[in-house]
Amino acid sequence: VFDVRRGTKIAAGTGVGVGGRQGFALTDTWIATVSDAKAVCHVHMLNRGDTGAKLVFPLPEEITCIHAVDGGRYLAMGARSGRLLVWAPASGRLLRAWDGHYGAVTALGSSGGALVSGGEDAAVHVWVLSQVLSHDGDTAAAPIATMAEHTMAVTALHVSALPLLAGRGRVYSGSRDHTCKQWRVRIESSDDNDNNSDNAGEGGDNGGDRVALRGRAEVLTTLLYPAAVHSVAVDVGETRVFAGTAAGLFQTNLYRAVDGLSSGAALVALGGTSGSVVSEEHTAYASSERDVTCVALSLDALLLVSAGGGAVRVWDTASRQCVRTLSDKSLVAGGVVQLATRLAPPQLGGPHATATAGLQRPAVLGETVIARKLAAISFAPLQRVAQQQQRAAGAVGVTAFDAPVVARLGDAGAAVARFEAAMRGAGVYSDTSCADAALVGALRPADGSAEQQIAALVRQTERLQRHHARTRRLNDELYQGAVSEWLAGRQKR
């Protein structure tokens, strides 16, 4: 762990080897690493100095990539067999494991409840975690959208910070076919009345109207590079793409000035259609390394970090000049296969817990900030078998984690009354404001209609999820039957 702006070494994990281009997952409190040599996971506490592994435990199979979802609330892994696995690190439960790709999973990303995976089968899938984790163990999980425009294995993924499922985020995928594709996912909800007659026998509790979710991946721009793409980084504004390739380090500006106008007058976006190929707008960095294995961008997009040939360089993105080189004997010996940048946590000299206004942090983190060193992390050894499989074998019973979660709606009116009373007692509201608040309170419905509507929507959502699961199961059976019949007919011919 280095301070990018100063070039100083802050921390290091000893006694572990990271394999693959996405061999570790990083949060504010821990680093989880996997090796492509054996199915073992090492977890380190993120503290200053050299630290050994806090936890070491076996994994179900050989893992090729790992990714922390939602700040470490979930931990996703991709296997050499093509399977995807999702754990809850706090409890160690294996929430779901399913077949996602026909080859090894090579890259993972996430945004707003969506998990994006890329594999050696040249496909990029978008999975909705809420749907995948709520499916039964015997129900095949299906991606909500698939991008199959690459012709060779996917090597890198970048998912923007904007909500992907809301249609605002973008996904950037790099591949060995020398391209980096920018694409978006359109989520559409429409009334699916065409198949109501086929499913009249089931799903009667939903009535005649059914809302179906559909996803569609659209390629916006294809960036063509002179060699295979190893890593991709994009700034927060999504105006520049930085690609580490086998031919060097390149920067591509996604917007350019209109001909005949000044640079600040008007800008047009590159590409914009599925057939748009950009091959001459790239700017090469004067790097001494020919093969750049990985790149990472600082949060303010002012500094770019690249690695290749055992050297880690920090670049100024405005001038494209190398400002410093991070030197360490371990980097030269083993080589660098993955880079990640993030804001330093408090125990590594980052912002103090009390400096963040308006956000409530756990008390244990506040104590840790005072001690300037982590004493414990919320991470349990990961299970190798899913909980539902253990229950089917009679190994375990129902635990607190398996109990259904019942949503209870609080009395919003009482909470508002307590808040208003506190504000009046503190002298924040004037007499006129108090009179207006009393008038609004008198107009507020006393029967809790808002809470009743929310509860009704929750029940309707549960019914739609059950109906969707049954429909998905029927669709899978029909598809398998059609494929089996086609294969049997082909063998006869």
Side-chain angles (χ1 to χ4, degrees):
V1 181
F2 288 88
D3 187 338
V4 177
R5 299 191 180 277
R6 297 182 177 89
T8 57
K9 182 179 176 180
I10 302 176
T14 58
V16 60
V18 178
R21 298 191 182 278
Q22 198 170 349
F24 71 84
L26 174 66
T27 67
D28 285 342
T29 56
W30 51 260
I31 302 177
T33 64
V34 294
S35 174
D36 54 358
K38 52 184 178 180
V40 177
C41 180
H42 296 74
V43 181
H44 297 254
M45 285 194 300
L46 196 58
N47 279 324
R48 287 183 177 272
D50 296 343
T51 58
K54 182 70 175 178
L55 293 173
V56 180
F57 47 85
L59 295 172
E61 53 186 303
E62 294 184 7
I63 299 298
T64 54
C65 55
I66 181 174
H67 177 71
V69 182
D70 194 12
R73 183 180 181 184
Y74 302 104
L75 188 63
M77 295 189 190
R80 191 176 301 277
S81 62
R83 292 210 308 165
L84 294 169
L85 306 95
V86 177
W87 281 273
S91 62
R93 286 186 55 204
L94 176 57
L95 302 178
R96 184 70 191 272
W98 71 95
D99 296 327
H101 293 268
Y102 292 103
V105 183
T106 55
L108 292 172
S110 62
S111 172
L115 178 67
V116 184
S117 64
E120 289 186 350
D121 55 359
V124 178
H125 298 310
V126 179
W127 313 85
V128 181
L129 282 178
S130 61
Q131 295 182 2
V132 172
L133 300 183
S134 63
H135 280 179
D136 298 332
D138 55 352
T139 303
I144 197 171
T146 297
M147 201 281 286
E149 298 292 332
H150 287 293
T151 58
M152 299 185 70
V154 177
T155 56
L157 283 176
H158 175 87
V159 185
S160 63
L162 296 175
L164 184 63
L165 298 181
R168 301 175 59 190
R170 300 289 184 268
V171 176
Y172 299 81
S173 58
S175 172
R176 294 177 187 170
D177 59 5
H178 300 195
T179 65
C180 172
K181 294 183 180 292
Q182 178 198 40
W183 52 289
R184 66 180 174 185
V185 179
R186 288 187 177 273
I187 306 298
E188 302 174 352
S189 66
S190 59
D191 294 334
D192 188 6
N193 297 321
D194 298 332
N195 299 326
N196 283 338
S197 58
D198 299 335
N199 301 296
E202 51 181 350
D205 54 344
N206 290 334
D209 51 346
R210 188 183 92 179
V211 179
L213 276 180
R214 299 180 301 174
R216 184 176 73 254
E218 298 178 347
V219 178
L220 300 180
T221 306
T222 299
L223 307 179
L224 179 61
Y225 293 96
V229 178
H230 296 324
S231 181
V232 175
V234 185
D235 61 349
V236 177
E238 299 189 44
T239 60
R240 293 172 295 175
V241 176
F242 303 88
T245 70
L249 179 61
F250 295 91
Q251 172 182 332
T252 305
N253 296 328
L254 298 180
Y255 296 87
R256 61 184 175 184
V258 178
D259 296 338
L261 298 177
S262 61
S263 58
L267 297 175
V268 294
L270 297 180
T273 60
S274 59
S276 302
V277 178
V278 178
S279 60
E280 300 179 355
E281 301 290 337
H282 315 307
T283 303
Y285 279 62
S287 174
S288 59
E289 290 78 32
R290 183 68 175 175
D291 189 4
V292 178
T293 57
C294 49
V295 295
L297 199 61
S298 63
L299 296 180
D300 55 6
L302 297 179
L303 297 178
L304 175 69
V305 188
S306 67
V312 179
R313 301 182 183 276
V314 181
W315 305 83
D316 178 65
T317 57
S319 60
R320 296 189 295 276
Q321 297 296 320
C322 180
V323 294
R324 66 178 52 87
T325 300
L326 304 180
S327 59
D328 189 82
K329 60 180 181 180
S330 61
L331 301 180
V332 179
V336 180
V337 294
Q338 182 184 355
L339 289 171
T341 58
R342 65 182 298 120
L343 187 65
Q347 70 272 16
L348 296 184
H352 199 275
T354 58
T356 305
L359 296 180
Q360 182 180 2
R361 287 196 171 190
V364 63
L365 186 55
E367 297 172 359
T368 303
V369 171
I370 297 175
R372 288 293 179 183
K373 188 176 181 180
L374 290 176
I377 55 176
S378 179
F379 202 112
L382 304 181
Q383 298 176 356
R384 302 179 64 182
V385 182
Q387 196 79 7
Q388 56 266 31
Q389 297 179 7
Q390 295 182 11
R391 286 201 308 272
V396 297
V398 178
T399 64
F401 292 104
D402 301 316
V405 179
V406 180
R408 288 184 171 87
L409 300 174
D411 189 357
V416 172
R418 288 195 300 269
F419 175 78
E420 293 176 349
M423 291 296 101
R424 293 192 193 97
V428 177
Y429 291 159
S430 63
D431 295 338
T432 305
S433 299
C434 292
D436 295 340
L439 178 61
V440 172
L443 296 176
R444 185 184 298 124
D447 56 352
S449 57
E451 287 79 2
Q452 294 177 2
Q453 292 177 6
I454 293 176
L457 289 175
V458 170
R459 290 193 298 269
Q460 184 178 3
T461 303
E462 293 176 352
R463 289 196 299 268
L464 289 175
Q465 290 177 349
R466 292 194 299 269
H467 187 69
H468 177 72
R470 289 194 295 267
T471 306
R472 178 70 67 183
R473 191 181 302 111
L474 177 61
N475 180 70
D476 293 339
E477 294 175 356
L478 293 175
Y479 175 76
Q480 292 294 337
V483 172
S484 301
E485 183 179 355
W486 180 79
L487 290 177
R490 185 176 182 181
Q491 290 177 357
K492 292 180 179 179
R493 291 197 298 268

